[in-house]
Amino acid sequence: MYVQPVGLGCMGLSHASGTPTPKEEAVKILRAAYEMGYNFFDTAECYTGINPDGSVSYNEEIVGEAIKPFRDKVILCTKFGVTHQGDHLELDSSPEKIRQSLEGSLKKLQTDYIDIYYQHRIDPNVAPETVAQVMKEFIAEGKIRAWGISETTDEYLRRAHAICPVTVIENRYSMMARWHEPIFKTCEELGITYVAFSPMANGALTGAYQSKKDFGNGDQDFRPDMPQYSEEGMKKTNEIVTFLQSLATKHDATPAHISLAWMINKKDYIIPIPGSRKINRLQENFDAGKIILTKEEIQMIDEKLDSMTFMVFGGHSGK
């Protein structure tokens, strides 16, 4: 199946971006995205939020309901191995837990197979070979078609790949978060796709947020406390957004367009997965896949980024 240049990160509909979107509304948003052309949908077992009535909003249930009419026409991705426990992540990639997670995800997603099943984070207590062997069994059983690793290291990826070929990795990547670029060589060597999550630095590269006051989604929104939205962080963020605006004007585009087009044109195996609750923003993100940047423009952007430092969630530098 041909995958569009831009995929859809579904997390924000129910997790980390404020009070969850009502399920019926969220389903309509995802179906509208499909009509736009999106065919790569990314969710996870741990993407949950608390509804106003106190019930739990499961992102997988929303995605599963939304894609039912066109399940065989999209790539469905979900993840295992992480549970949110207050201010920290609980990691468990034991074979028993993975099998339990898979069955739960299949039920919530209302499907009998998952296209890409990711290990959400590396569990230091479980060897990559052990995880890969479980994935090999799932593929043989027809329950998953391929697997991937999120926030992987080069060593972990190679060890896992030797047991069961890894199709995709999903690591943080944006103009403000480039520390994973060394793994590009491994992706090229092994023929692995790089899915870039948070490709606009949790919205910072859109230029839409100028301070913490611009977030009004309640105490379930994690973004206001991210370093890129601190007073000092915003100064650094605004410098790159201003630079992007000059390029955007040339291409009759927006800073968001350019931030996505930069990575799409940089490497043909990179798929960014921005997300939004707004239909117009989803369309804007998708349209970034149509923008062509020259090698000279990409080099100019890279040189500019090399001269800058950023305060951003997950790290504190531009490279």
Side-chain angles (χ1 to χ4, degrees), residues 246-254 257-258 291-294 297:
S246 64
L247 271 175
T249 300
K250 176 183 175 182
H251 286 273
D252 191 24
T254 66
H257 279 142
I258 300 301
I291 295 175
I292 304 299
L293 297 179
T294 65
E297 286 175 316

Side-chain angles (χ1 to χ4, degrees), residues 44 61 68 70 73 130 139 188 194 198 216 229 250 268 281:
E61 289 185 347
K68 269 199 304 185
F70 42 83
K73 296 181 175 62
T130 299
I139 292 172
E188 291 162 6
Y194 188 120
S198 193
Y229 294 116
K250 176 183 175 182
D268 62 7
R281 182 69 73 184

Side-chain angles (χ1 to χ4, degrees), residues 2-11 30 33-34 36-43 74-75 77 118 170 193-200 260 263-264 270-276 281-289:
Y2 171 78
V3 176
Q4 294 287 352
V6 179
L8 181 56
C10 304
M11 180 187 77
L30 293 179
Y34 174 74
M36 291 176 197
Y38 283 96
N39 65 349
F40 190 93
F41 291 78
D42 181 274
T43 182
V74 300
I75 299 296
C77 314
Y118 290 105
E170 183 178 311
T193 296
Y194 188 120
V195 170
F197 77 82
S198 193
M200 289 186 286
L260 294 174
M263 64 178 69
I264 293 169
I270 294 180
I271 302 173
I273 51 168
S276 180
R281 182 69 73 184
L282 290 175
Q283 185 67 65
E284 178 184 358
N285 293 342
F286 188 77
D287 288 346

